[in-house]
Amino acid sequence: MRNIIIGQSGGPTAVINASLYGIAMEAREQGVHAYGMVNGIEGFLEDHVVNLSDYSRMKDFDLLKTTPAAFLGSCRHKLPEDIDNAVYPILFKKFEDLEIDAVFYIGGNDSMDTVDKLSRAAKQFGSDICFVGVPKTIDNDLPVTDHTPGYGSTAKFVAATVRDIVWDAGVYEHPVVTIIELMGRNAGWVTAASMLARTSYEPNPMLIYLPEEFFDVTDFIRDVKAALKESNSVVVCVSEGIRDNTGRLVCEYEEESVKDQFGHKMLAGCAAVLERIVKRSIGCKCRSIELNLPQRCTSIMISATDSDEAEQAGRFALKNALMNSAETCGKMVIFKRSEGKPYHIDLEMIPVGEVCNKEKLFPEKWIINGNDISTEFLDYVRPLIQGENHIKFENGIPKIMKPVYNKNQSMR
Amino acid sequence: MRNIIIGQSGGPTAVINASLYGIAMEAREQGVHAYGMVNGIEGFLEDHVVNLSDYSRMKDFDLLKTTPAAFLGSCRHKLPEDIDNAVYPILFKKFEDLEIDAVFYIGGNDSMDTVDKLSRAAKQFGSDICFVGVPKTIDNDLPVTDHTPGYGSTAKFVAATVRDIVWDAGVYEHPVVTIIELMGRNAGWVTAASMLARTSYEPNPMLIYLPEEFFDVTDFIRDVKAALKESNSVVVCVSEGIRDNTGRLVCEYEEESVKDQFGHKMLAGCAAVLERIVKRSIGCKCRSIELNLPQRCTSIMISATDSDEAEQAGRFALKNALMNSAETCGKMVIFKRSEGKPYHIDLEMIPVGEVCNKEKLFPEKWIINGNDISTEFLDYVRPLIQGENHIKFENGIPKIMKPVYNKNQSMR
């Protein structure tokens, strides 16, 4: 193998750079030269390419493992559906000019769509270039794989932050409702992780609403009133994507929503909508909190398990492409969990077509009464948040590696 | 000295419990018995008192130092202005029943008002009970003292979180404006700390607006447009309390605001207001983020300097009350910083009347052009965020001490 190139795509996670580190370090150890696309396939089309091997030889390259955001920059670029589109020959010409044998793309559902299209185009063009997907998404909504790199760190951050908010919200004697809005688009995995904040002596968050079940405002007010009879402080966790039985998003009750390039609605604000409803209907003190971007970009609550697995996913992808290219092309790394304890996963490759543009929703069987989560979910999620990375600090804040983007470094 | 009692009041900070630990441990070491008011003076009026000495003898009592929220619970209770009010004899009767010689109250401006009133009432009644204030507030707005316990940890959290958001927001190639709203009521100290996220190679946050200067929407749009010419990603940090030259809060441009018991306006939402203004006026992608409660309650970014100082403030208060009661009554602990480097503070006591109901605003001389902060501020703030506490983890999240409130334990 002569050269590889790596791209990062979609929203960052706390460990997307750990996967990049895994591929780049494995390449270095195997004597393969690595390039990086700056801003994913979109930047690559504009010839924004860096010499990643220059970085992987640096002494403190392992800082990358605890550096949040996408080191190479990212994009949300959808390639044309039609493989006969003129952009594909242009892309392959660029790959060939750099003598690329394998392309590794780290991303979620939409990014795997890019891997799928490029693989199909390669077949059509009779090209030997191998396209491999490495999963990442905090949403944990990729099918087939037990979970996705990125989810564990978000779950850990959500668990710790919701727990701290629960204690903060409970310091006063007077009734208060605190509504915390969490990410996840159509999937409830991130919101469900708030259950990790609950203890034997603290029932909060007392109510958890996922997008997998219809949300009913009347039921919600009834639930909150009942909870206020048990505790002066009621903490409610809601997913950004909750919608009623007409399919209308709760966040759209007051505001218009916007769609992104992929046609996804950009969600925000259902907690604020519910805050106003609680104030109006119950009249008690109510505060809404949107945890927002820190859920996916924080460098201070990375799960060591998640970070290690993300790195292993990257190394596994490179090793497979090197050893058995024909069996690896057009595939994505997945995690398979062994049954029983202790927690153990094996890595495998599956055709990217089984993953792209599909969503794995939170299982119905783990949702209780539409407002709570089964403890079986705890057995699933707890192993994923274990372990802490040893973060280096500089000037009082976590030291990170300076990303390469915005420098517009070009190789051509 | 027979017995002391300690109360916590106002909004929690990450280190309000470190001060409680300092007083309680110093009391234990000096052989003084300690009670705790549950939910501050409000709970005390309802006889919610715990035997704090029972806790300070526990093996893992030092967990308290990294436990966020108020261990004893809190209140926002304003005592009557009129010292002749019937509530004062009731309170003193309760103190005498418990044979209390000294009362330690950990809080901010409003809580020091409670210390001041009780001290004046003591004089009027000829009581020897000594009331001592221990400062805390993330807002850093208490006069006389160089800074307040709680501010350093919030500044550290803001610095790290804004830095992570800056990198996350910058991963795409397309223009984007990210507006981060920070706490601080009328004072800009917390918002100014966002400047710690800036580096030699990353200009963001490019714009910082504090409440100490009038906010002008036209100037703001001009500033953002100019910043977008320099960088595709512009991060703006704004204080929740920014207001225009008519005195109108920006967060009131779209919504009605509510007042709390002390007559403070409950602020929220100026970033969301500005997001809509940017979208309308500039038309680029814009996202608003309110960092919200985690600024004051997070257990994951406590500054060791802040935590140590908070503990020392508690110990100093107890030692002074014990050694020189007459000189300590009606006073609050302050920090005095030595000139020059290295960073060093001395602890002193000042009459609480010099502090209560007063605000120390961010100095005008450190505000540049209404949208930036002088680097002199960095020399002030950087020592306060140094050092990390060694947090114990349990089940993947920081281990904390179970607060005593909500148990309604009563001694009577």
Side-chain angles (χ1 to χ4, degrees):
Chain A
M1 189 168 283
R2 297 164 301 173
N3 299 299
I4 62 161
I5 190 163
I6 313 169
Q8 294 176 303
S9 169
T13 77
V15 300
I16 186 171
N17 288 330
S19 290
L20 175 64
Y21 174 87
I23 307 170
M25 280 305 281
E26 192 68 34
R28 185 184 125 177
E29 285 159 29
Q30 306 275 357
V32 176
H33 184 266
Y35 290 108
M37 301 175 178
V38 177
N39 294 117
I41 201 74
E42 187 175 20
F44 182 72
L45 270 165
E46 297 159 12
D47 300 318
H48 291 170
V49 172
V50 287
N51 207 332
L52 200 57
S53 291
D54 286 350
Y55 291 90
S56 64
R57 278 191 292 267
M58 282 163 62
K59 214 183 67 187
D60 61 352
F61 190 59
D62 63 344
L63 256 185
L64 191 57
K65 286 197 275 186
T66 51
T67 294
F71 180 70
L72 293 172
S74 189
C75 70
R76 289 194 185 276
H77 188 82
K78 205 171 173 71
L79 288 176
E81 293 300 328
D82 182 5
I83 304 296
D84 292 324
N85 186 290
V87 78
Y88 291 100
I90 294 171
L91 279 168
F92 277 78
K93 170 80 169 56
K94 287 181 192 291
F95 288 132
E96 280 151 21
D97 284 354
L98 286 172
E99 302 187 319
I100 301 291
D101 289 324
V103 178
F104 297 85
Y105 215 52
I106 311 169
N109 325 47
D110 298 324
S111 312
M112 291 310 132
D113 175 75
T114 299
V115 176
D116 186 51
K117 284 172 181 158
L118 289 169
S119 299
R120 287 191 277 129
K123 265 193 197 142
Q124 185 156 323
F125 302 154
S127 164
D128 287 335
I129 300 174
C130 185
F131 297 90
V132 187
V134 177
K136 75 84 215 165
T137 168
I138 67 160
D139 298 339
N140 200 34
D141 61 352
L142 296 191
V144 194
T145 187
D146 178 74
H147 59 280
T148 54
Y151 175 61
S153 295
T154 295
K156 188 182 183 82
F157 176 80
V158 165
T161 305
V162 169
R163 197 274 310 271
D164 287 347
I165 292 173
V166 162
W167 289 117
D168 184 286
V171 296
Y172 300 116
E173 278 187 298
H174 307 283
V176 58
V177 175
T178 308
I179 304 171
I180 306 175
E181 176 175 335
L182 297 146
M183 285 180 162
R185 299 201 298 192
N186 300 316
W189 298 100
V190 171
T191 305
S194 64
M195 196 193 172
L196 290 159
R198 220 184 267 167
T199 63
S200 57
Y201 50 86
E202 171 55 67
N204 276 308
M206 294 175 80
L207 299 166
I208 301 173
Y209 299 93
L210 308 191
E212 281 80 359
E213 294 230 343
F214 294 132
F215 186 86
D216 184 277
V217 168
T218 313
D219 290 352
F220 166 72
I221 291 298
R222 182 202 61 206
D223 294 347
V224 172
K225 280 183 178 165
L228 280 168
K229 282 184 185 153
E230 287 176 52
S231 172
N232 268 339
S233 172
V234 172
V235 177
V236 182
C237 290
V238 293
S239 175
E240 59 181 359
I242 49 170
R243 53 179 80 225
D244 63 28
N245 62 4
T246 70
R248 193 168 166 219
L249 287 161
V250 172
C251 62
E252 288 176 336
Y253 280 17
E254 297 191 6
E255 291 186 83
E256 282 181 26
S257 71
V258 195
K259 283 184 184 179
D260 73 8
Q261 274 198 70
F262 287 95
H264 301 308
K265 288 190 172 165
M266 290 175 70
L267 310 174
C270 70
V273 170
L274 294 176
E275 174 191 328
R276 287 188 275 266
I277 290 174
V278 166
K279 282 179 175 164
R280 234 172 12 231
S281 308
I282 304 183
C284 69
K285 194 179 162 190
C286 184
R287 176 170 213 151
S288 62
I289 300 175
E290 200 183 326
L291 283 199
N292 220 308
L293 284 195
Q295 284 167 90
R296 74 177 193 201
C297 73
T298 188
S299 59
I300 53 186
M301 275 297 279
I302 296 175
S303 151
T305 300
D306 188 27
S307 172
D308 289 348
E309 290 178 353
E311 179 185 343
Q312 290 313 316
R315 288 184 179 270
F316 186 79
L318 191 283
K319 272 188 274 192
N320 273 268
L322 207 59
M323 291 189 311
N324 192 350
S325 174
E327 278 297 299
T328 306
C329 301
K331 292 195 174 170
M332 185 194 82
V333 179
I334 61 152
F335 297 152
K336 239 185 154 161
R337 190 190 298 220
S338 307
E339 291 212 12
K341 295 180 182 179
Y343 170 76
H344 175 78
I345 55 158
D346 288 303
L347 280 67
E348 292 181 11
M349 308 282 316
I350 57 155
V352 80
E354 292 182 25
V355 175
C356 64
N357 304 318
K358 289 173 188 159
E359 284 177 323
K360 183 179 71 180
L361 299 182
F362 191 84
E364 290 278 340
K365 63 174 179 181
W366 286 349
I367 303 179
I368 300 174
N369 297 329
N371 63 21
D372 204 359
I373 310 295
S374 153
T375 53
E376 281 171 74
F377 167 68
L378 292 180
D379 295 331
Y380 167 85
V381 73
R382 220 169 236 143
L384 313 183
I385 69 163
Q386 298 305 311
E388 291 72 48
N389 272 311
H390 297 288
I391 300 175
K392 288 175 190 148
F393 278 75
E394 190 174 52
N395 273 330
I397 63 173
K399 188 178 178 186
I400 62 167
M401 208 157 168
K402 180 184 161 188
V404 301
Y405 52 84
N406 282 338
K407 287 168 65 189
N408 290 347
Q409 270 182 291
S410 171
M411 299 295 295
R412 316 205 49 208
Chain B
M1 188 168 288
R2 298 165 301 171
N3 300 297
I4 64 160
I5 191 164
I6 312 170
Q8 294 175 304
S9 169
T13 77
V15 301
I16 186 170
N17 288 331
S19 289
L20 176 63
Y21 174 87
I23 306 171
M25 280 305 281
E26 191 68 34
R28 185 183 126 178
E29 286 159 27
Q30 305 274 0
V32 176
H33 184 265
Y35 290 110
M37 300 175 179
V38 178
N39 294 117
I41 201 73
E42 187 175 20
F44 182 72
L45 270 166
E46 297 158 14
D47 299 319
H48 291 171
V49 172
V50 288
N51 209 330
L52 200 58
S53 291
D54 287 350
Y55 292 89
S56 64
R57 277 190 293 268
M58 282 164 64
K59 214 183 67 187
D60 61 353
F61 189 60
D62 62 344
L63 256 185
L64 191 57
K65 285 196 274 187
T66 50
T67 294
F71 180 70
L72 293 171
S74 189
C75 70
R76 290 193 184 278
H77 187 82
K78 204 171 173 70
L79 288 176
E81 294 299 329
D82 181 6
I83 304 296
D84 292 324
N85 186 291
V87 79
Y88 291 100
I90 295 170
L91 278 168
F92 276 78
K93 171 80 169 56
K94 289 181 191 292
F95 288 132
E96 280 151 20
D97 285 353
L98 287 171
E99 302 188 320
I100 301 292
D101 290 324
V103 178
F104 297 85
Y105 214 52
I106 311 169
N109 326 47
D110 298 324
S111 311
M112 292 310 133
D113 175 74
T114 298
V115 176
D116 186 50
K117 284 171 180 160
L118 289 169
S119 298
R120 286 190 278 130
K123 265 193 197 140
Q124 185 155 326
F125 301 154
S127 164
D128 286 334
I129 301 174
C130 184
F131 297 90
V132 187
V134 178
K136 76 85 216 164
T137 168
I138 67 160
D139 298 339
N140 200 35
D141 61 351
L142 296 191
V144 194
T145 187
D146 177 75
H147 58 280
T148 54
Y151 175 62
S153 295
T154 294
K156 188 181 183 81
F157 176 80
V158 165
T161 305
V162 169
R163 198 275 309 271
D164 288 348
I165 292 173
V166 162
W167 289 118
D168 185 286
V171 296
Y172 300 117
E173 279 187 298
H174 307 283
V176 57
V177 176
T178 308
I179 304 172
I180 306 175
E181 176 175 333
L182 297 145
M183 285 180 161
R185 299 201 297 193
N186 300 317
W189 297 100
V190 171
T191 305
S194 64
M195 196 193 172
L196 290 160
R198 220 184 268 168
T199 63
S200 57
Y201 50 87
E202 172 54 67
N204 276 307
M206 293 174 80
L207 300 166
I208 301 173
Y209 299 94
L210 307 191
E212 281 81 358
E213 293 230 343
F214 295 132
F215 185 85
D216 184 278
V217 169
T218 313
D219 290 351
F220 166 71
I221 291 298
R222 183 202 60 208
D223 294 348
V224 172
K225 280 182 178 167
L228 280 168
K229 283 185 185 152
E230 286 176 54
S231 171
N232 268 340
S233 173
V234 172
V235 177
V236 182
C237 289
V238 293
S239 175
E240 59 182 358
I242 49 170
R243 53 178 82 223
D244 63 27
N245 62 4
T246 70
R248 193 168 167 218
L249 287 160
V250 172
C251 63
E252 287 176 337
Y253 280 18
E254 297 190 6
E255 291 185 82
E256 282 181 26
S257 72
V258 194
K259 283 185 184 178
D260 73 8
Q261 275 198 68
F262 287 96
H264 301 309
K265 287 189 174 169
M266 292 175 69
L267 310 174
C270 70
V273 170
L274 294 176
E275 174 191 330
R276 286 188 276 268
I277 290 174
V278 166
K279 282 178 175 164
R280 236 175 8 235
S281 308
I282 304 183
C284 69
K285 194 178 161 192
C286 184
R287 177 170 212 150
S288 62
I289 301 174
E290 200 183 325
L291 282 199
N292 220 309
L293 284 194
Q295 285 167 91
R296 73 178 193 201
C297 74
T298 188
S299 59
I300 53 185
M301 275 297 280
I302 297 175
S303 152
T305 300
D306 188 27
S307 173
D308 289 348
E309 290 177 354
E311 180 185 343
Q312 290 313 316
R315 289 185 180 270
F316 186 79
L318 192 284
K319 271 188 274 193
N320 273 270
L322 208 59
M323 291 189 310
N324 193 351
S325 176
E327 279 297 298
T328 306
C329 302
K331 292 194 174 171
M332 185 194 84
V333 180
I334 59 151
F335 297 152
K336 238 183 156 163
R337 190 190 299 221
S338 307
E339 291 210 15
K341 293 180 183 180
Y343 170 74
H344 174 79
I345 56 157
D346 288 301
L347 279 67
E348 292 183 10
M349 308 282 315
I350 58 154
V352 80
E354 292 182 25
V355 175
C356 64
N357 303 317
K358 289 172 188 161
E359 284 177 322
K360 183 181 69 181
L361 299 181
F362 190 84
E364 291 278 340
K365 61 174 180 180
W366 286 348
I367 304 178
I368 299 174
N369 296 330
N371 64 18
D372 203 358
I373 309 295
S374 152
T375 53
E376 281 171 73
F377 168 68
L378 291 180
D379 295 331
Y380 167 84
V381 74
R382 220 170 236 141
L384 312 182
I385 69 162
Q386 299 304 313
E388 291 73 47
N389 273 311
H390 297 287
I391 301 175
K392 288 174 191 149
F393 278 75
E394 191 173 51
N395 273 329
I397 62 174
K399 188 178 178 185
I400 61 167
M401 208 161 171
K402 180 183 161 188
V404 301
Y405 51 85
N406 282 339
K407 287 169 67 188
N408 290 346
Q409 269 182 290
S410 172
M411 299 295 293
R412 316 200 56 205

